[in-house]
Amino acid sequence: MSKLKKYLFSTFSITFLSWGMIAVYTQIKNIPFGSSIALYILYILGVIGPAIAGITVSKRSDSKEDFSMFLKSCYQPPKNLNWYLFIIVIVLVFSLLPYFVVGGEQIVPVQYILLQIPIFILIGGLEEIGWRGFMLRELTKRIPALTSTLLVSIVWIFWHLPLFFIIGTYQYEYLNIPVFSISVISFSFLLSTVYYKTKSIFLCIMTHAFCNSLLNVFVSNQSLLGGIIALVFSLFIYLLFANNRNRSLIMKKVDTYIE
């Protein structure tokens, strides 16, 4: 079994088993998952399924040096401050542009954006260890960057589907699958841009957490137009900053051969 197949099998096994049990229980009892500590623990286990799978498969399949570099990219903050500014700007535009165009509601004070980030690192951000850190990395070794991002997006959509059957999740209460799917694809292109530009899983984690926190403060009205606006912006950013990636990979390989 290839590394990617092992990763996908492990990720979906962990998440679907955890979230599947929650979905069945909440539907039978007609209660939100947050009403039980045990259910909430299962929920978090499902959320970090991609991270668990990415780390486990990488440890078993990669050399010690490659695995060490993989882990460092997950927890070691890059020193280039321009990257942080870049992320702040693109996330603000990505999150707030639909809010101002289609309307929405600010549900908590602005300071909650920073206060919530640690929560959204756990519930969302750590996914990036698997999606961008492992899956996207492995795909781009074989196929073009654009195709890799689209494949990750499709898998990412399917991975979220159990949440639409768990009482108490945002997906169950407020979202529909078509609009959500567009949002996932647009967010995937934004995160791919961060990964291709910085090669830092840590920054992907922080981007994911920052975006989730921002969207939890400024909640846009759910509409197809809002999703399309976010998608157009993320595609623009991707084409603007990630389109030279293949040339960079070629130069990196040339440098490696020379050394």
Side-chain angles (χ1 to χ4, degrees):
M1 188 182 294
S2 69
K3 290 169 63 174
L4 271 173
K5 288 181 180 178
K6 290 178 182 177
Y7 166 75
L8 291 173
F9 177 80
S10 299
T11 296
F12 278 85
S13 295
I14 295 169
T15 300
F16 275 35
L17 180 61
S18 302
W19 288 354
M21 288 190 291
I22 301 173
V24 171
Y25 188 86
T26 58
Q27 292 289 343
I28 292 175
K29 297 292 185 179
N30 195 28
I31 58 172
F33 79 96
S35 61
S36 166
I37 294 177
L39 293 180
Y40 202 80
I41 291 173
L42 276 175
Y43 170 76
I44 293 175
L45 178 61
V47 170
I48 62 175
I52 295 172
I55 292 172
T56 302
V57 175
S58 182
K59 181 174 176 58
R60 292 178 178 176
S61 305
D62 296 341
S63 65
K64 289 184 177 180
E65 182 181 1
D66 288 342
F67 180 65
S68 177
M69 290 177 61
F70 172 70
L71 289 182
K72 284 183 179 179
S73 181
C74 294
Y75 68 77
Q76 194 171 69
K79 297 178 181 179
N80 190 339
L81 296 180
N82 290 330
W83 286 346
Y84 296 92
L85 180 60
F86 170 75
I87 287 169
I88 290 171
V89 171
I90 64 172
V91 170
L92 283 172
V93 177
F94 175 80
S95 304
L96 296 181
L97 188 59
Y99 175 83
F100 286 116
V101 173
V102 303
E105 180 183 1
Q106 181 182 337
I107 61 174
V108 292
V110 174
Q111 56 265 33
Y112 274 71
I113 295 172
L114 293 179
L115 294 175
Q116 293 177 143
I117 286 178
I119 297 173
F120 285 115
I121 289 175
L122 176 63
I123 305 176
L126 292 182
E127 291 178 34
E128 296 309 312
I129 295 174
W131 299 127
R132 256 53 60 173
F134 187 90
M135 186 176 179
L136 188 65
R137 179 195 68 188
E138 290 300 315
L139 283 173
T140 50
K141 292 177 181 178
R142 301 168 173 80
I143 57 178
L146 179 62
T147 309
S148 298
T149 297
L150 286 172
L151 284 176
V152 172
S153 302
I154 293 169
V155 172
W156 205 17
I157 291 169
F158 278 100
W159 178 81
H160 280 96
L161 289 182
L163 295 176
F164 287 88
F165 302 94
I166 298 175
I167 297 177
T169 63
Y170 191 78
Q171 287 81 359
Y172 181 89
E173 301 293 340
Y174 302 107
L175 301 182
N176 62 70
I177 293 177
V179 173
F180 177 77
S181 298
I182 294 174
S183 299
V184 170
I185 294 170
S186 61
F187 197 20
S188 183
F189 270 97
L190 194 78
L191 288 163
S192 287
T193 302
V194 173
Y195 180 75
Y196 289 146
K197 183 173 178 62
T198 69
K199 305 299 186 294
S200 170
I201 304 170
F202 174 86
L203 288 180
C204 290
I205 293 171
M206 297 308 297
T207 300
H208 195 141
F210 179 41
C211 191
N212 279 6
S213 183
L214 200 60
L215 293 173
N216 200 53
V217 173
F218 298 97
V219 180
S220 302
N221 296 330
Q222 294 301 313
S223 69
L224 185 61
L225 176 60
I228 292 173
I229 290 171
L231 179 60
V232 170
F233 174 75
S234 63
L235 286 172
F236 171 76
I237 291 298
Y238 177 86
L239 294 173
L240 188 63
F241 292 103
N243 60 358
N244 63 344
R245 184 185 168 278
N246 289 331
R247 183 179 60 193
S248 299
L249 279 180
I250 293 172
M251 293 305 298
K252 184 177 179 181
K253 289 181 179 180
V254 171
D255 291 340
T256 302
Y257 290 140
I258 293 174
E259 291 175 0

